[in-house]
Amino acid sequence: MTKIKFHYGDDVPLEMHKVRIVQKLNLLPIEERAKAMDEAGYNTFLLQNRDVFMDMLTDSGVNAMSDNQQAAMMNADDSYAGSATFTRLESKLEELFGTEYFLPTHQGRASENIISQAYVKKDTIIPMNYHFTTSKAHITLNGGKIEEIYIDEALHLTSDHPFKGNMDIDKLKNLIDKHGADKISYVRLEAGTNLIGGQPHSVENIREAKKVCDEHGLMLVYDASLLADNLHLIKQREAACADMSIREITREITDQCDIIYFSARKLGSARGGGISTKHKDVYMKLREYITLYEGFLTYGGMSVREMEALTVGLEETMDEDVISQGPNFIKHMTKQFQEKNVPVITPPGGLGCHLNAMDFVDHLSQEEYPAGALAAAIYIISGVRGMERGTMSEARQEDGTETLSHMELVRLAMPRRVFTLSQTTYAVDRIAWLYENRELIGGLEFEEEPDVLRFFFGRLKATSDWPEKLVAKFREDFGDSL
């Protein structure tokens, strides 16, 4: 990674690219933002993009492509079968991951569906370092049960532990001893644990997990969607990997895995996804599901243009200057929040900067969806769209009671090569003002509540007139400013 030291002032992240294509943004007046939030049912997923100033909802499918990716898309071979485009992508994955076989899917959750259909049986257990919403849903729908075996430090909101995404190996051994290996479908490890602040795992941890899996004849399934951030953080934080190249660290990880799946909307800055494996028997079992649910084996629901962009994007992921910008911007944003005493998850991970809503709006109970309320308030006062990662993102228990999340977070995702430093500074400024006026934020309750993945399209309402009071206070302090 290119290191730059500033002579005056604090070090700040330096973009190692130049902007050549731009897209106009709109910043609506606060009254219009409040109206848009109400019409969206206080769910940031339901906002119209035309009403959003900074879209920090996700880093999925919104990363900026490079000039080389755009150029590669012109070389696409759209043959239904035997496509040269597919062969180039398959060869790149074999080069980087050491996997001989590749099955394309239209996105990451399609890969989760296929793996679950093939391997999750009724009443089996899937141990993992932490769940992701769609992975849990697919496993549950197929009759399986997840067991989260994260390390104790994972749930420490403020910490200096470098790898809070690690799997607890002793808990894994105990789980196998308790239930027996025949009751476990596979072991899943996620790069950059999404729901607890994008926290990475170490190379040492995945080696230890693989050793236990091998001892008991279990497969290790790896969600590599957030691999890029995890690679950078490993190189920065794991002493044994400090002198290794990103390419070498990648192989150290992927050599431990029996199945690797990913969303190309995150990894590779393209669209689509896929499943890679070095085992022919695994490939043969999964390929029938590809043709059933996705498409033919050489496109699997992906556009060949996106395949070409992904092939280039995967190679660019091996460049530390490319993959360092996201984590460095997140680190800088986290530091700015800390200086203003805004509660934020530490150490900063990948994917985005994560606000600690439990402390930010500690006057709200979890049943009032504090992370959802905070995300709505942030949009109203700034036009910044973040994502709730808390109790709203869980599902109710069978008796209708809430499943209270371990954490209440608002994720401010950092799409790669998209925002400038001045834009992130604006977001920090407005959110710091909101923290000073946090007592104005009230709760939410559901009006329309889907049974599955309710955070995507459920509609809520404010439990009081707190949005109106927030707008009034903003006008009092900012005048006619947007």
Side-chain angles (χ1 to χ4, degrees), residues 327-341:
N328 282 340
F329 263 57
I330 293 164
K331 180 180 178 181
H332 183 71
M333 199 173 189
T334 299
K335 181 182 177 183
Q336 286 186 304
F337 278 130
Q338 288 179 298
E339 290 172 350
K340 295 172 174 58
N341 298 315

Side-chain angles (χ1 to χ4, degrees), residues 82-96:
S83 167
T85 289
F86 172 80
T87 301
R88 282 191 281 270
L89 175 55
E90 184 180 48
S91 297
K92 179 56 65 176
L93 284 160
E94 182 174 9
E95 173 194 336
L96 299 181

Side-chain angles (χ1 to χ4, degrees), residues 20 22 33 43 87 113 165 281 357 369 375:
R20 298 180 63 191
V22 297
R33 298 197 296 264
N43 184 343
T87 301
N113 172 53
D281 60 329
Y369 309 118

